[in-house]
């Protein structure tokens, strides 16, 4: 059945990173930056002919709403033997996340009012600085990297967004905003 | 205050902008005055006038963009930047800025100042030279004796982990301060020496400052590959070349052609062997907030597993007590992953029982690019954990 894993050890943390990537992709935005505060519990189940499934209980925070604790459960299934298939992820967020309507509108209007398309690089810079006006752009990069991390993770990888190398706003004829990012992902072979 | 930019495209538009110049009560400050069609006009608009100016322009069908959202914020930023980048060399270790990241030259000059200010406590040893011929310096803190049992601390072996070198600088000053005030590690220095290598990988560090902020390895070139660098934490003679390192020179965990191929590693190996009396060895990395003990190259637990686990628990508790920073701990292989040829696996096998590795802040939000304002809090909390390890070594001589 399901084996209990120490939440402090990386096998569980790797699955949590996938869940976070998926969650940022789903629920993140220029007005919402979700981070993992703590992995409370992790279990693993080996399903014959299917793969390894991780059951996680996570405690999150929204960087723009730090006083609130958000609980979340997630299931991460790594398909057996597959190098090309993304893990299957289900997440359930308990309770409400802070509304981003106002922040999104402000971001949208500000970008629309720029005379030239936005271009920026090295976010954060070498010293860890993010200019305040680029923070929503940074949070948007977390959304994009969330998708990449989810799609490219295996049971043996743990990806983080290391830096936004370059971001360029793409001119559009309609009213949508489009950004092209070059992102640096760090695969956790540190130590 | 905001700075608006208008680029008049017609005579009508130009006139509308010029009209603004006459409205003195708006207190507008033209950074770029109207000069002609197609040329930008930059206007600093005090907050009370922002609405009126925008209304005036909009009524005339003149488009504008917000160049600077908030001038004050920018000024504050610039001040901070100037403070950061004011490369006036500090006159002494009191005026040195511990809350900023520094260059190799600044750190080496800091070391010299520290030695000059405390000649009876601190000396600088050159234990070797890097691939690019940079000196490898170790600070020795000693109150006397001959070849006393010693503690070794290194930072910056992976060059991109900038909070570690910065913490090393802080540790050096802290040791001197404790000794002067006869508190903290002063009692440890009565019977033990402390060795501190702050810039353990200077070639890599220089590269992170000039070419690639996220460089990890050394900068050695070994024949047969165009790729540069060896992972100095896979180059030690403990399970060298086994699973947990890469034989591909183009990867981040390339172990190198043979153990100790890297002068940065060899010089420490030679130092440790010739010293012969090191009792605790701590190698500092970032990020992940972990305290780890051997092994990484095998699942076999070390004989002293229980003791190291207990010391880790105490050290982590001390660390958390300051700012609530949460750390996890355990052996390398069970806590993170298999890694072969690692520093503390080698030092443990040499008989240095208290061999530990730290992974400092944070857990991924900024990762290697940790904001400078977190340097001092990180160093302060880490120091509490280091003291637990040092005191345990002193009280459990072997």
């Amino acid at each position: 059945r399901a084996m209990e894993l120490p939440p402090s050890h990386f096998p569980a943390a790797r699955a949590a990173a996938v869940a976070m990537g998926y969650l940022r992709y789903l629920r993140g935005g220029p007005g919402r930056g979700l981070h993992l505060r703590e992995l409370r519990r992790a279990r693993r189940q080996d399903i014959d002919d299917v793969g390894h499934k991780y059951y996680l209980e996570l405690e999150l925070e929204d960087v723009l709403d730090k006083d609130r604790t958000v609980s979340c459960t997630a299931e991460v299934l790594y398909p057996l033997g597959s190098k090309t298939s993304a893990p299957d992820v289900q997440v359930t967020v308990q309770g409400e996340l802070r509304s981003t309507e106002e922040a999104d509108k402000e971001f949208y209007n500000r970008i629309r009012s720029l005379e030239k398309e936005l271009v920026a690089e090295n976010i954060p810079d070498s010293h860890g600085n993010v200019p305040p006006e680029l923070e929503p752009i940074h949070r948007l990069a977390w959304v994009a990297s969330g998708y990449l991390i989810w799609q490219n993770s295996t049971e043996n990888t743990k990806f983080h967004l290391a830096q936004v190398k370059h971001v360029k706003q793409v001119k559009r004829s309609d009213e949508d905003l489009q950004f092209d990012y070059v992102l640096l992902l760090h695969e956790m072979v540190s130590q | 205050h905001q700075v608006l930019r208008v680029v008049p495209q017609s005579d009508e538009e130009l006139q509308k902008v010029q009209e603004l110049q006459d409205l003195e009560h708006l207190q507008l400050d033209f950074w770029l005055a109207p000069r002609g069609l197609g040329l930008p006009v930059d206007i600093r608009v005090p907050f009370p006038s922002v609405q009126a100016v925008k209304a005036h322009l909009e009524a005339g069908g003149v488009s504008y963009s917000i160049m600077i959202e908030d001038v004050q914020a920018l000024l504050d930023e610039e001040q901070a930047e100037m403070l950061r980048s004011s490369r006036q060399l500090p006159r002494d270790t009191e005026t040195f800025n511990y809350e900023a990241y520094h260059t190799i030259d600044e750190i080496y000059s800091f070391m010299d100042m520290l030695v000059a200010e405390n000649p009876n406590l601190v000396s600088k040893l050159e234990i070797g030279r890097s691939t690019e011929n940079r000196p490898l310096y170790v600070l020795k803190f000693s109150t006397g004796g001959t070849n006393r049992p010693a503690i070794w601390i290194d930072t910056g072996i992976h060059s991109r982990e900038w909070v570690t070198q910065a913490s090393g600088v802080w540790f050096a000053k802290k040791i001197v301060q404790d000794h002067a005030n006869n508190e903290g590690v002063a009692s440890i220095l009565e019977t033990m020496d402390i060795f501190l290598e702050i810039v353990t990988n200077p070639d890599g560090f220089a590269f992170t400052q000039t070419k690639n902020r996220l460089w990890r390895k050394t900068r050695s070139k070994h024949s047969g590959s165009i790729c540069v660098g060896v992972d100095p934490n896979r180059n030690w003679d403990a399970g060298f070349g086994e699973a947990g390192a890469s034989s591909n020179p183009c990867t981040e965990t390339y172990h190198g052609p043979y153990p100790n191929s890297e002068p940065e590693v060899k010089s420490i190996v030679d130092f440790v062997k010739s010293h012969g009396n090191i009792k605790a060895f701590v190698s500092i990395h970032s990020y992940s907030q972990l305290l780890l003990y051997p092994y990484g190259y095998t699942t076999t637990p070390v004989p002293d597993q229980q003791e190291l686990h207990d010391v880790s628990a105490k050290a982590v508790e001390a660390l958390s007590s300051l700012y609530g920073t949460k750390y996890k701990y355990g052996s390398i292989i069970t806590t993170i992953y298999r890694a072969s040829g690692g520093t503390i696996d080698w030092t443990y096998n040499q008989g240095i029982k208290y061999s530990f590795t730290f992974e400092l802040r944070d857990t991924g939000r900024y990762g290697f690019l940790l904001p400078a304002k977190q340097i001092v809090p990180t160093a302060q909390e880490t120091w509490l954990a280091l003291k637990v390890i040092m005191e345990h070594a002193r009280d459990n001589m072997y």
Side-chain angles (χ1 to χ4, degrees):
Chain A
R1 320 326 303 353
M3 197 177 72
E4 202 75 32
L5 297 176
S8 54
H9 292 190
F10 266 30
R14 284 191 274 265
V18 175
M20 285 310 298
Y22 181 74
L23 198 60
R24 284 178 178 126
Y25 166 61
L26 271 194
R27 307 294 301 269
R32 181 184 292 144
L34 293 169
H35 287 279
L36 180 64
R37 210 186 259 157
E38 184 151 351
L39 178 59
R40 294 214 150 279
R41 191 182 176 200
R43 288 169 299 151
R44 192 185 97 202
Q45 184 184 27
D46 296 348
I47 307 171
D48 287 342
D49 301 325
V50 177
H52 296 162
K53 193 170 195 187
Y54 289 73
Y55 297 86
L56 309 169
E57 289 173 26
L58 310 135
E59 195 182 294
L60 316 171
E61 76 177 26
D62 177 355
V63 298
L64 296 175
D65 190 22
K66 282 205 164 117
D67 291 335
R68 192 191 313 218
T69 297
V70 182
S71 294
C72 165
T73 56
E75 289 174 16
V76 178
L77 170 62
Y78 296 100
L80 200 68
S82 177
K83 296 273 162 68
T84 51
S85 221
D88 192 75
V89 188
Q90 314 282 329
V91 286
T92 310
V93 177
Q94 270 109 46
E96 296 272 305
L97 291 172
R98 176 179 175 271
S99 163
T100 64
E101 202 183 309
E102 208 180 292
D104 288 346
K105 218 168 19 157
E106 196 187 302
F107 171 71
Y108 181 82
N109 288 334
R110 185 148 60 78
I111 301 293
R112 290 279 287 176
S113 73
L114 293 177
E115 187 190 79
K116 279 209 318 208
E117 284 74 37
L118 181 141
V119 173
E121 52 184 28
N122 293 337
I123 308 168
D125 68 15
S126 285
H127 297 230
N129 301 312
V130 180
E133 67 271 14
L134 289 179
E135 276 168 10
I137 292 284
H138 190 210
R139 288 190 283 268
L140 203 55
W142 280 94
V143 174
S145 67
Y147 178 82
L148 288 173
I149 289 169
W150 162 42
Q151 291 289 305
N152 289 283
S153 289
T154 71
E155 224 167 336
N156 297 312
T157 61
K158 187 169 186 281
F159 286 104
H160 288 269
L161 173 63
Q163 192 181 40
V164 178
K165 200 71 198 129
H166 190 80
V167 56
K168 183 184 74 188
Q169 184 183 359
V170 178
K171 199 183 174 85
R172 290 181 70 100
S173 52
D174 59 21
E175 299 190 328
D176 290 351
L177 298 184
Q178 181 181 338
F179 300 92
D180 280 356
Y181 283 91
V182 176
L183 303 176
L184 295 179
L185 297 184
H186 171 227
E187 204 285 290
M188 187 58 73
V189 275
S190 66
Q191 202 251 331
Chain B
H1 297 216
Q2 289 190 349
V3 177
L4 306 183
R5 167 164 286 186
V6 179
V7 187
Q9 301 296 340
S10 67
D11 286 326
E12 291 78 26
E13 289 192 9
L14 188 56
Q15 197 190 333
K16 269 277 166 237
V17 175
Q18 281 164 333
E19 276 166 16
L20 284 172
Q21 290 183 290
D22 296 331
L23 301 173
E24 284 185 63
H25 64 283
L26 293 177
Q27 308 231 317
L28 304 179
D29 177 12
F30 282 79
W31 285 7
L32 275 179
R35 291 166 290 157
L37 296 185
L39 295 173
V41 179
D42 289 350
I43 317 165
R44 179 177 63 80
V45 184
F47 179 73
S49 305
V50 166
Q51 279 310 112
V53 171
K54 288 181 179 172
H56 180 92
L57 292 172
E58 280 159 9
V62 183
S63 62
Y64 60 90
S65 56
I66 302 173
M67 273 246 303
I68 299 174
E69 187 82 90
D70 184 348
V71 175
Q72 187 56 53
L74 212 62
L75 290 177
D76 293 340
E77 242 282 291
E78 203 174 272
Q79 270 283 72
E81 183 59 64
M82 270 169 56
L83 242 60
R84 272 196 298 269
S85 63
S86 79
R87 297 290 174 207
Q88 302 156 290
L89 293 170
R91 281 164 290 119
D92 50 48
T93 64
E94 286 302 308
T95 54
F96 187 87
N97 184 5
Y98 297 91
E99 295 176 11
Y101 291 112
H102 290 276
T103 63
I104 296 188
D105 289 341
E106 287 166 354
I107 295 176
Y108 281 10
S109 126
F110 162 83
M111 288 186 211
D112 289 338
M113 287 192 296
L114 196 71
V115 169
E117 292 163 17
N118 305 278
N120 295 323
L121 178 67
V122 194
S123 53
K124 186 177 84 173
L125 314 171
E126 186 176 317
I127 61 167
R129 294 238 144 193
S130 69
T131 291
E132 292 174 351
N133 205 33
R134 289 185 175 82
L136 300 166
Y137 289 135
V138 171
L139 292 178
K140 176 183 179 183
F141 299 85
S142 178
T143 59
T146 313
N147 197 237
R148 279 181 176 168
I151 294 147
W152 167 282
I153 302 168
D154 65 73
T155 53
I157 194 169
H158 283 149
S159 37
R160 62 189 177 195
E161 298 163 9
W162 278 20
V163 71
T164 69
Q165 298 96 333
S167 293
V169 168
W170 189 93
F171 297 153
K173 180 62 174 169
K174 182 64 173 161
I175 295 170
V176 158
Q177 281 173 336
D178 275 9
H179 178 258
N181 299 326
N182 200 25
E183 57 186 16
V185 296
S187 59
I188 291 172
L189 287 168
E190 279 167 19
T191 53
M192 298 181 83
D193 293 342
I194 301 175
F195 292 98
L196 176 61
E197 186 173 8
I198 298 174
V199 189
T200 306
N201 178 5
D203 295 349
F205 193 47
F207 201 70
T208 62
Q209 311 239 322
T210 53
K211 290 271 161 50
N212 180 352
R213 171 62 178 82
L214 294 176
W215 188 260
R216 162 189 171 93
K217 301 188 286 183
T218 62
R219 292 294 300 164
S220 60
K221 292 177 180 72
H222 296 280
S223 67
S225 176
I226 53 161
C227 289
V228 177
V230 166
D231 185 343
N233 200 24
R234 299 290 187 279
N235 189 240
W236 302 72
D237 200 359
F240 178 87
E242 292 169 16
S246 171
S247 54
N248 179 347
C250 303
T251 58
E252 298 277 57
T253 52
Y254 174 49
H255 49 58
Y258 52 86
N260 307 325
S261 62
E262 304 310 285
E264 295 82 357
V265 171
K266 176 121 198 341
S267 55
I268 302 176
V269 168
D270 291 345
F271 179 84
V272 167
K273 282 180 162 170
S274 74
H275 185 281
N277 207 19
I278 294 177
K279 298 300 176 189
F281 192 104
V282 182
S283 193
I284 302 187
H285 291 256
S286 76
Y287 57 93
S288 281
Q289 293 174 204
L290 301 168
L291 175 50
L292 304 165
Y293 51 82
Y295 288 122
Y297 73 95
T298 172
T299 52
T300 307
V302 290
D304 302 294
Q305 149 97 6
Q306 191 55 57
E307 187 184 356
L308 296 184
H309 199 78
D310 293 341
V311 174
S312 299
K314 271 188 68 186
V316 155
E317 197 187 323
L319 187 153
S320 296
S321 71
L322 197 54
Y323 297 112
T325 306
K326 296 202 179 103
Y327 264 60
K328 312 277 162 68
Y329 58 97
S331 72
I332 297 163
I333 197 168
T334 60
T335 311
I336 43 175
Y337 43 69
R338 186 179 289 261
S340 63
T343 308
I344 65 168
D345 287 359
W346 180 81
T347 58
Y348 183 85
N349 285 345
Q350 290 298 298
I352 303 176
K353 183 166 39 156
Y354 303 116
S355 290
F356 292 94
T357 267
F358 278 82
E359 292 276 7
L360 303 186
R361 292 193 193 181
D362 59 13
T363 54
R365 168 118 182 248
Y366 288 94
F368 301 120
L369 309 178
L370 196 70
K373 63 179 189 278
Q374 289 198 42
I375 293 171
V376 171
T378 301
Q380 287 172 327
E381 65 192 12
T382 307
W383 189 243
L384 298 182
L386 284 171
K387 279 201 292 189
V388 168
I389 294 169
M390 293 193 281
E391 282 159 12
H392 187 90
R394 176 200 61 197
D395 298 339
N396 293 273
M397 268 307 155
Y398 57 92

